[in-house]
Amino acid sequence: MTLAQEINGRLRKAPAWPIYIVFTLPGLWWFYLGATGGLGAEPIKALEHAYGKFALQLLIAGLLVTPLRAYAGVNLLKFRRAIGLMAFFYVLAHLLVWLVLDVQAIDRIWADIVKRPYITVGMMGFALLLPLAVTSNDRVIRRMGGMAWRKLHRLVYPAVILGGLHYVMLVKGWQLEPLIYLAAILTILAVRIRWKQRFLPA
Amino acid sequence: MAGRWKNDLNWSDVTPRAEFLNRRQLLAGVGALAVGGIAGPALAKIDAVKTNYGRGLEPNSYEDITSYCNFYEFGTGKDDPSRNAGRMKTMPWSVRIDGLVDKPGNYGIEDIVHGVTMEERIYRFRCVEAWSMVVPWVGFELADLLNRVGVQPSAKYVAFETLLRPSEMPGVGSRVLEWPYREGLRIDEAMNPLTLMATGIYGEELPNQNGAPLRLVVPWKYGFKSIKSIVRITLTDKQPPTSWNMANAREYGFYSNVNPEVDHPRWSQATERRIGGGLFSAREDTLMFNGYGDEVAGLYAGMDLRKNF
């Protein structure tokens, strides 16, 4: 038995619901740290960045599910919805920390969204994720039909690119870490495009 | 010349010495236990003239000031400098003073601080990233040093350079800025009584992450103008290149005076977050010239501050 088959075998019976619990824990822990002085002298930015970065990591993890199956034979498809929804919840938490704890005023929030390109880009990414989160349940998939649903969910590609761009744009100067995230995102998407060209009829 | 500037912040609000010394001992204990180079607390105490003027603004804690820093030579994270700056050797230290001066040369740090009047000054510190602190600096006026070396009449600007020593600075491998870090002031800004050469905070020598052994403090400008760990001061007749302006001239001007009406292209400068207020702290309005308009607004009379940002 290959490693991939063994992993697939072990995961066959594993339910997806623990992902919601396990991935919620770091968010609660960071909030607790922030409220009790554990995130340094400026906990608001620290919490905002922690949520945003974890959201980006989860989005990337969700994008890896298909290439993992195609190239390594590891099938994590049944966990993808949980990963995607948790990514969305962390984007939402990131946004709420920004709105409620950081900017704190409605007029400033709107001014920032229209005036600051990195915030415009981030909000666009969030707007694209919103319909995906709402349609991530069996009932809606049945009603929409598989084809339409898959088409809609391709919005995750522009959304994750916007997320990576948002990170690159918000730092001072050309910093390495956000560029690595953006490069990883673009590489994974490029691999998917090549995979599709190779294996799917045009 | 000491005593030209009157503080409007209150010394009575400074954390009592015994209290912060206790915290320092705690810090030292943590430092001794930790593996690897943690920037340890400076131990030498500086004799400084205290000033008693002012209404109250409360200085930030020693921990806030020394743990939340921008010093990209040691990494771009706010906690990188406090973790990495301990490697920087600040003994011996000399500053090359050259350009349009009567007595150019390499001046040892002991020589530079010899005979100057050290003062303790509580200044607001406003970062371009829209956060702020209040810091009880110890230092002397830059004008004292410049007068001592003799500024020639043709000098119009002062240029500063930070130490560049890659073996002790893990951040300079990254090209986030062009090294060495450079800053500059117009000569009248440099001679203003507010402009300080700081050697300490809270009555003790600067920790490395805060720019030991000698840094500039220009309280009415964004923090990045207050260049750290200075090794060179050059008097010149041309506006010198400055690091953030070189990196992105659209976002960081030569003057970089604190101005709530001129936004950074990517964020508003109208408000700021005072560090130390925790997860639920409110934003505060940013003050024109960071609250030092009475002292410095005249320097910019007739200038368009939107153009000369």
Side-chain angles (χ1 to χ4, degrees), chain B residues 1-6 119 121 141 143-144 147 191-193:
Chain B
M1 189 179 72
R4 291 191 292 162
W5 178 78
K6 300 215 183 311
E119 285 185 71
R121 296 189 179 187
E141 291 180 13
D144 290 350
N147 287 333
M191 294 301 237
N192 189 278

Side-chain angles (χ1 to χ4, degrees), chain A residues 177-195:
Chain A
E177 198 179 352
L179 290 173
I180 290 173
Y181 275 84
L182 186 60
I185 290 165
L186 295 176
T187 307
I188 294 165
L189 292 183
V191 165
R192 293 179 73 104
I193 290 166
R194 274 195 51 194
W195 177 78

Side-chain angles (χ1 to χ4, degrees), chain B residues 24-41:
Chain B
R24 300 288 296 277
Q25 280 159 7
L26 205 70
L27 268 181
V30 172
L33 284 172
V35 186
I38 283 181

Side-chain angles (χ1 to χ4, degrees), chain A residues 57-68 80 83 156-157 160-161 184-186 188-189 192:
Chain A
Q57 288 161 358
L58 287 171
L59 282 170
I60 291 171
L63 285 184
L64 282 172
V65 169
T66 299
L68 265 180
R80 190 166 67 176
I83 294 170
V156 76
Y157 308 144
V160 71
I161 292 173
I185 290 165
L186 295 176
I188 294 165
L189 292 183
R192 293 179 73 104

Side-chain angles (χ1 to χ4, degrees), chain A residues 30-31 34-35 40-45 47 97 101-104 108 112 115-119 168-176, chain B residues 64 67-68 70 72 76 127-129 131 174-176 244 252 263-268 271 273 275-283:
Chain A
W30 292 325
F31 191 89
E42 217 294 40
I44 299 173
K45 283 281 176 217
L47 191 66
V97 171
L101 299 179
D102 192 349
V103 186
Q104 297 176 351
R108 287 202 296 257
D112 271 359
K115 256 174 94 176
R116 320 282 168 207
Y118 83 93
I119 292 173
V168 170
M169 289 169 76
L170 71 88
V171 296
K172 247 165 67 188
W174 290 103
Q175 294 187 24
L176 195 59
Chain B
D64 284 352
S67 70
Y68 195 79
N70 278 326
Y72 279 14
T76 53
C127 180
V128 73
E129 296 164 0
W131 55 265
S174 139
R175 307 287 293 271
V176 60
W244 278 105
Y252 310 99
D263 283 347
H264 185 282
R266 289 183 288 143
W267 55 83
S268 164
T271 62
R273 170 161 305 107
I275 299 298
L279 195 53
F280 306 104
S281 68
R283 298 189 80 93

